[in-house]
Amino acid sequence: MSEKKLFLLDGHALVYRAYYAFITRPLINSKGWNTSAVAGFTRTLWDLLNTQNPSHIAVSFDLKGPTFRHEMYEPYKANREAQPEDISWALPWIQKLIEAFKIPVVTMEGFEADDVIGTLAKQAEKEGFKVYMVTPDKDYAQLVSENIFMYKPGRKGGEVEILGVPEVLEKWQISRVEQVIDVLGLQGDSVDNIPGIPGIGAKTAVKLLAQFDSLEGLLENTDKLKGKQKEKVIEFAEQGRLSKTLATIDINVPVQFDADKYIMEGFDREALSEIFKELEFRTLANQVLGGSDFAGGAPKSAAIHKARGTKPTPQSTGAGTQGSLFGDAAAGGTAGIAAHSVAETTIEDVETNYKLIDSPEARQELADMLAKHDIISFDTETTSIDANQAELVGISFCVKKGEAFYVPTPADQEETKTILEVFKPIFENPDIRMIGQNIKYDGLMMKWYGIEIKGLFYDTMIMHYLLEPSLRHNMDYLAETYLKYQPISIETLIGKKGKNQKTMRDVPVEDVVDYACEDADVTLQLYEFLYPKL
């Protein structure tokens, strides 16, 4: 029989931890919702499910209203600030997520989540379970035993910390786990407004416990104390006893552990899909629901092209480097739309007129047409993310939604310069506005081929940054979010990242046409959407 592993999640503690982890740079989606708490909680849960493989699981939340501790001591937790509005907004979503993951929620009026979790942990331990209390709250250390552990999620991608008896004893510098409560009773807890005994901090508490073993032992031996410390301990003896009681997690809550109810089963894919779609959790949706990335596909290779303002590889961060100016994660496209995607259409669902321009006559005809327009969207296909090292593979143009043109170019630079000569007057016309996504890269590429763009640059990535600085700015994200359109995945052309991945130069020209034209077309549509908002 597989190991029985029960994970008990302290809901509110994890929600607050997730919220404040992003406090300096909150996760805001295109609707203006602060999804930090929901995303962080979901990430912690998903990582736990993947790495720990629990056989049983449950979540507990604090309920509104007073607990038995408030009846004992009215000021209990009185100094806590009001719950942030963004957390209040997040909690119903987190409840929906937990329900979609088919995880039971256990609460009890008059008790806190740690009391419920403590009670269930002790009951499950007696039934042969190894129990992991998932929480950043230090108070849970008092419950740790041979089969009960604290599971503290890592911060900002850090390692998970699992505390058993040896770790608790070392961390608290005590000889018995039960002394955690004595330390809390002596030093108090400002977060929960537990008063403790004035003048006794953590280090002093540990020293006193090493000498007297417990708070009660200390109070029975006040004659061995001296000076102000003796006076304070005698004066605030009852306050110390009260503080220890307040800090003690009640393991006799009227709840009953039922292993059959807490079995970890499969989740509701349809429900999760709808939630992820509504919250715009692209990466999480891909990881949880499988298949292609939520925004469509895996991150793009460093050996392709700048096209969509995706994040460059670490070694490519110098001037003239292709990639996002704002450190966006990549998000490619796929041929089909996942149920959780915010996109509603792909190239298969819309009418397009994308043309390959591969003859001198066709290039001249295209140049003549472009010269009549004062706004032109263009994009380059290249062999590298570094504009100072890349070769031009082709260039696409668009002046009208759904209609674009792709001009392929050879590896020989001089031949390519000859091909581009017909377009040089257009690029160097100061009255023509050139539109691009991360257009700085395209401008640098053209400069290496003897063409300097003299008109105004209109960069859709920067436009979006000015409008929504806290969001992502790569083209696929913008297309899905604002156009409800999922672009073609680069992987359909060059394969998955790895040693066998091709470059755009290796792809047959006829296979590049739709991808390249779509880049210019989508960029024009984004310009038309974003520019009026500026």
Side-chain angles (χ1 to χ4, degrees):
M1 183 179 176
S2 60
E3 185 179 21
K4 298 193 293 184
K5 295 169 63 177
L6 169 65
F7 281 76
L8 299 170
L9 283 63
D10 184 342
H12 272 98
L14 294 174
V15 169
Y16 269 79
R17 171 188 171 278
Y19 173 75
Y20 283 105
F22 294 99
I23 196 65
T24 58
R25 193 178 180 185
L27 304 178
I28 310 295
N29 67 13
S30 67
K31 300 166 185 169
W33 298 348
N34 183 344
T35 61
S36 301
V38 190
F41 181 91
T42 309
R43 167 66 59 203
T44 296
L45 174 59
W46 183 243
D47 287 347
L48 182 159
L49 295 177
N50 271 287
T51 61
Q52 302 301 317
N53 193 28
S55 61
H56 296 70
I57 193 168
V59 182
S60 184
F61 287 93
D62 295 328
L63 297 175
K64 291 182 179 180
T67 67
F68 71 92
R69 292 181 179 86
H70 292 91
E71 296 174 4
M72 297 169 57
Y73 183 62
E74 189 174 346
Y76 179 67
K77 291 189 176 182
N79 59 350
R80 285 200 173 183
E81 295 181 1
Q83 181 169 281
E85 289 185 12
D86 288 326
I87 288 183
S88 298
W89 172 88
L91 285 171
W93 282 104
I94 290 170
Q95 293 280 359
K96 291 180 182 179
L97 276 162
I98 292 170
E99 183 178 342
F101 273 106
K102 296 185 178 180
I103 297 174
V105 175
V106 189
T107 59
M108 179 57 63
E109 292 284 351
F111 295 90
E112 296 178 61
D114 52 4
D115 300 312
V116 173
I117 288 174
T119 301
L120 294 175
K122 294 299 182 181
Q123 292 176 358
E125 180 182 34
K126 293 177 181 177
E127 294 186 23
F129 280 82
K130 284 196 178 298
V131 184
Y132 296 83
M133 304 173 295
V134 185
T135 179
D137 189 344
K138 67 182 186 302
D139 297 3
Y140 281 82
Q142 66 187 268
L143 299 170
V144 169
S145 69
E146 183 181 353
N147 295 299
I148 299 177
F149 306 86
M150 280 187 70
Y151 181 100
K152 298 178 68 175
R155 286 187 173 275
K156 298 182 179 179
E159 291 293 320
V160 168
E161 188 177 7
I162 298 178
L163 305 180
V165 173
E167 291 79 13
V168 169
L169 298 183
E170 180 181 356
K171 197 177 189 73
W172 288 73
Q173 295 183 299
I174 53 181
S175 59
R176 296 181 296 106
V177 166
E178 293 76 16
Q179 288 178 312
V180 167
I181 313 171
D182 295 288
V183 174
L184 294 172
L186 288 168
Q187 73 176 38
D189 187 340
S190 59
V191 175
D192 290 341
N193 203 32
I194 296 175
I197 295 178
I200 296 182
K203 291 183 178 179
T204 303
V206 168
K207 289 180 181 178
L208 292 172
L209 291 175
Q211 185 177 356
F212 302 108
D213 188 62
S214 66
L215 182 143
E216 290 78 11
L218 169 65
L219 298 181
E220 291 170 3
N221 292 277
T222 54
D223 58 309
K224 296 178 182 178
L225 303 176
K226 296 179 182 179
K228 287 287 185 182
Q229 187 179 77
K230 180 177 181 178
E231 293 176 13
K232 292 290 185 183
V233 171
I234 292 174
E235 181 182 356
F236 293 97
E238 287 308 311
Q239 183 169 291
R241 289 190 177 94
L242 171 65
S243 296
K244 180 175 178 178
T245 302
L246 292 172
T248 302
I249 293 176
D250 191 339
I251 58 172
N252 295 298
V253 177
V255 293
Q256 185 59 49
F257 174 69
D258 185 341
D260 291 339
K261 292 182 179 179
Y262 297 166
I263 294 174
M264 185 65 225
E265 300 177 324
F267 46 79
D268 186 333
R269 295 181 62 85
E270 185 176 344
L272 281 177
S273 176
E274 286 302 312
I275 293 169
F276 289 151
K277 179 176 181 179
E278 190 70 16
L279 297 178
E280 300 175 7
F281 285 175
R282 292 164 169 79
T283 303
L284 268 172
N286 173 55
Q287 293 173 344
V288 175
L289 300 176
S292 59
D293 186 280
F294 184 62
K300 297 186 178 181
S301 164
I304 49 170
H305 69 116
K306 173 279 327 168
R308 290 166 184 175
T310 52
K311 186 176 181 179
T313 52
Q315 68 269 27
S316 305
T317 55
T321 294
Q322 172 178 333
S324 170
L325 300 177
F326 311 106
D328 296 306
T334 58
I337 302 176
H340 47 265
S341 176
V342 298
E344 298 170 355
T345 58
T346 69
I347 194 170
E348 303 296 332
D349 307 304
V350 297
E351 290 187 14
T352 59
N353 184 16
Y354 294 162
K355 296 180 179 179
L356 173 64
I357 307 298
D358 60 354
S359 70
E361 296 78 16
R363 288 194 289 269
Q364 184 62 59
E365 185 179 348
L366 173 61
D368 292 341
M369 184 275 287
L370 293 174
K372 298 175 183 177
H373 293 267
D374 58 2
I375 299 176
I376 299 172
S377 172
F378 85 105
D379 185 68
T380 57
E381 303 301 330
T382 68
T383 58
S384 169
I385 63 169
D386 187 342
N388 298 313
Q389 300 293 327
E391 296 177 7
L392 187 67
V393 175
I395 185 168
S396 53
F397 299 94
C398 179
V399 294
K400 177 183 177 182
K401 175 182 176 181
E403 183 175 282
F405 309 87
Y406 178 61
V407 180
T409 56
D412 185 276
Q413 187 170 3
E414 293 305 315
E415 286 186 40
T416 295
K417 286 182 178 179
T418 301
I419 289 174
L420 295 178
E421 191 67 27
V422 69
F423 301 107
K424 190 171 183 178
I426 296 166
F427 282 110
E428 297 189 347
N429 185 339
D431 296 324
I432 294 179
R433 286 181 278 177
M434 303 304 293
I435 300 165
Q437 168 79 8
N438 194 11
I439 199 171
K440 180 180 179 180
Y441 176 88
D442 302 291
L444 285 169
M445 275 306 306
M446 300 309 296
K447 198 169 184 178
W448 280 107
Y449 287 85
I451 295 175
E452 185 169 354
I453 302 175
K454 295 184 178 179
L456 292 176
F457 280 35
Y458 284 75
D459 192 326
T460 50
M461 186 167 65
I462 294 177
M463 287 182 189
H464 187 251
Y465 172 76
L466 294 171
L467 291 166
E468 299 286 355
S470 62
L471 299 185
R472 297 160 64 192
H473 314 290
N474 65 68
M475 194 195 82
D476 289 346
Y477 173 84
L478 300 181
E480 282 204 52
T481 302
Y482 300 111
L483 307 180
K484 303 305 179 188
Y485 180 83
Q486 183 171 286
I488 299 169
S489 167
I490 184 62
E491 288 189 356
T492 62
L493 298 180
I494 64 172
K496 292 185 178 297
K497 187 175 181 179
K499 65 179 181 179
N500 296 321
Q501 188 179 55
K502 298 181 290 186
T503 72
M504 289 298 280
R505 181 74 73 193
D506 302 319
V507 181
V509 172
E510 58 271 18
D511 294 340
V512 180
V513 176
D514 280 353
Y515 178 84
C517 286
E518 183 187 68
D519 275 352
D521 184 9
V522 168
T523 300
L524 178 67
Q525 293 180 53
L526 288 172
Y527 163 82
E528 292 173 344
F529 178 85
L530 296 170
Y531 185 67
K533 297 183 183 300
L534 290 175

